[in-house]
Tab-separated table of all heavy atoms in Angstrom:
chain	number	residue	atom	x	y	z
A	35	LEU	N	-19.652	161.301	242.008
A	35	LEU	CA	-20.334	160.181	242.708
A	35	LEU	C	-19.511	159.730	243.899
A	35	LEU	O	-18.277	159.821	243.808
A	35	LEU	CB	-20.450	158.987	241.700
A	35	LEU	CG	-21.170	159.242	240.447
A	35	LEU	CD1	-21.315	157.892	239.677
A	35	LEU	CD2	-22.451	159.871	240.600
A	36	THR	N	-20.204	159.348	245.005
A	36	THR	CA	-19.432	158.778	246.134
A	36	THR	C	-18.942	157.350	245.748
A	36	THR	O	-18.070	156.830	246.486
A	36	THR	CB	-20.384	158.768	247.365
A	36	THR	OG1	-21.577	158.054	247.121
A	36	THR	CG2	-20.649	160.196	247.867
A	37	TYR	N	-19.563	156.769	244.842
A	37	TYR	CA	-19.084	155.438	244.275
A	37	TYR	C	-17.801	155.681	243.501
A	37	TYR	O	-17.887	156.379	242.480
A	37	TYR	CB	-20.045	154.698	243.532
A	37	TYR	CG	-19.600	153.328	242.917
A	37	TYR	CD1	-19.628	152.271	243.728
A	37	TYR	CD2	-19.008	153.293	241.684
A	37	TYR	CE1	-19.210	151.041	243.231
A	37	TYR	CE2	-18.552	152.062	241.114
A	37	TYR	CZ	-18.769	150.968	242.012
A	37	TYR	OH	-18.199	149.619	241.518
A	38	GLY	N	-16.623	155.150	243.984
A	38	GLY	CA	-15.437	155.362	243.255
A	38	GLY	C	-14.885	156.700	243.200
A	38	GLY	O	-13.882	156.988	242.417
A	39	GLY	N	-15.486	157.655	243.936
A	39	GLY	CA	-15.165	159.133	243.804
A	39	GLY	C	-15.179	159.499	242.333
A	39	GLY	O	-14.293	160.406	241.882
A	40	ILE	N	-16.018	159.009	241.526
A	40	ILE	CA	-16.076	159.215	240.132
A	40	ILE	C	-16.606	160.571	239.792
A	40	ILE	O	-17.531	161.082	240.224
A	40	ILE	CB	-17.035	158.077	239.444
A	40	ILE	CG1	-16.360	156.697	239.524
A	40	ILE	CG2	-17.400	158.529	238.014
A	40	ILE	CD1	-17.211	155.604	239.247
A	75	GLY	N	-13.779	158.191	234.787
A	75	GLY	CA	-13.826	159.252	235.814
A	75	GLY	C	-13.434	158.845	237.218
A	75	GLY	O	-13.585	159.623	238.160
A	76	ALA	N	-12.887	157.793	237.451
A	76	ALA	CA	-12.599	157.082	238.759
A	76	ALA	C	-11.448	157.787	239.553
A	76	ALA	O	-10.432	158.193	238.947
A	76	ALA	CB	-12.357	155.723	238.633
A	77	LEU	N	-11.577	157.735	240.788
A	77	LEU	CA	-10.518	158.110	241.718
A	77	LEU	C	-9.633	156.849	241.865
A	77	LEU	O	-10.312	155.903	242.424
A	77	LEU	CB	-11.171	158.699	243.087
A	77	LEU	CG	-10.341	159.497	243.997
A	77	LEU	CD1	-11.230	160.098	245.002
A	77	LEU	CD2	-9.269	158.776	244.583
A	78	VAL	N	-8.427	156.919	241.545
A	78	VAL	CA	-7.664	155.657	241.468
A	78	VAL	C	-6.548	155.653	242.629
A	78	VAL	O	-5.862	156.575	242.772
A	78	VAL	CB	-6.951	155.514	240.081
A	78	VAL	CG1	-6.057	154.368	240.005
A	78	VAL	CG2	-8.062	155.488	238.954
A	115	PHE	N	-9.624	151.730	245.013
A	115	PHE	CA	-10.421	152.809	245.356
A	115	PHE	C	-11.622	153.183	244.446
A	115	PHE	O	-12.567	153.742	244.916
A	115	PHE	CB	-9.539	154.077	245.373
A	115	PHE	CG	-8.546	154.110	246.598
A	115	PHE	CD1	-8.395	153.082	247.364
A	115	PHE	CD2	-7.767	155.289	246.886
A	115	PHE	CE1	-7.420	153.011	248.476
A	115	PHE	CE2	-6.798	155.259	247.871
A	115	PHE	CZ	-6.635	154.236	248.638
A	116	SER	N	-11.440	152.719	243.108
A	116	SER	CA	-12.445	153.152	242.215
A	116	SER	C	-13.795	152.308	242.394
A	116	SER	O	-14.758	152.611	241.720
A	116	SER	CB	-11.929	152.975	240.792
A	116	SER	OG	-11.657	151.577	240.498
A	117	THR	N	-13.781	151.312	243.171
A	117	THR	CA	-14.944	150.454	243.486
A	117	THR	C	-15.491	150.706	244.872
A	117	THR	O	-16.525	150.041	245.271
A	117	THR	CB	-14.715	149.066	243.213
A	117	THR	OG1	-13.651	148.522	244.084
A	117	THR	CG2	-14.268	148.708	241.847
A	118	ALA	N	-14.934	151.528	245.581
A	118	ALA	CA	-15.359	151.822	247.037
A	118	ALA	C	-16.407	152.903	247.081
A	118	ALA	O	-16.353	153.754	246.255
A	118	ALA	CB	-14.134	152.211	247.903
A	119	VAL	N	-17.239	152.737	248.049
A	119	VAL	CA	-18.249	153.859	248.302
A	119	VAL	C	-17.611	154.763	249.360
A	119	VAL	O	-17.383	154.337	250.489
A	119	VAL	CB	-19.609	153.347	248.720
A	119	VAL	CG1	-20.508	154.455	249.147
A	119	VAL	CG2	-20.216	152.422	247.660
A	120	TRP	N	-17.352	156.027	249.070
A	120	TRP	CA	-16.710	156.898	249.974
A	120	TRP	C	-17.693	157.783	250.837
A	120	TRP	O	-18.887	157.940	250.390
A	120	TRP	CB	-15.854	157.962	249.076
A	120	TRP	CG	-14.710	157.292	248.309
A	120	TRP	CD1	-14.803	156.441	247.300
A	120	TRP	CD2	-13.343	157.550	248.533
A	120	TRP	NE1	-13.600	156.062	246.812
A	120	TRP	CE2	-12.644	156.745	247.573
A	120	TRP	CE3	-12.655	158.467	249.280
A	120	TRP	CZ2	-11.266	156.758	247.450
A	120	TRP	CZ3	-11.259	158.579	249.188
A	120	TRP	CH2	-10.533	157.665	248.313
A	152	TYR	N	-13.037	167.846	245.780
A	152	TYR	CA	-13.350	168.403	244.487
A	152	TYR	C	-14.062	169.705	244.745
A	152	TYR	O	-15.082	169.751	245.341
A	152	TYR	CB	-14.348	167.512	243.813
A	152	TYR	CG	-13.737	166.185	243.293
A	152	TYR	CD1	-14.135	164.945	243.949
A	152	TYR	CD2	-12.988	166.048	242.314
A	152	TYR	CE1	-13.708	163.713	243.641
A	152	TYR	CE2	-12.523	164.708	241.785
A	152	TYR	CZ	-12.852	163.633	242.475
A	152	TYR	OH	-12.356	162.329	242.079
Side-chain angles (χ1 to χ4, degrees):
L35 306 182
T36 56
Y37 180 82
I40 286 169
L77 199 168
V78 176
F115 287 9
S116 67
T117 62
V119 178
W120 294 63
Y152 292 106

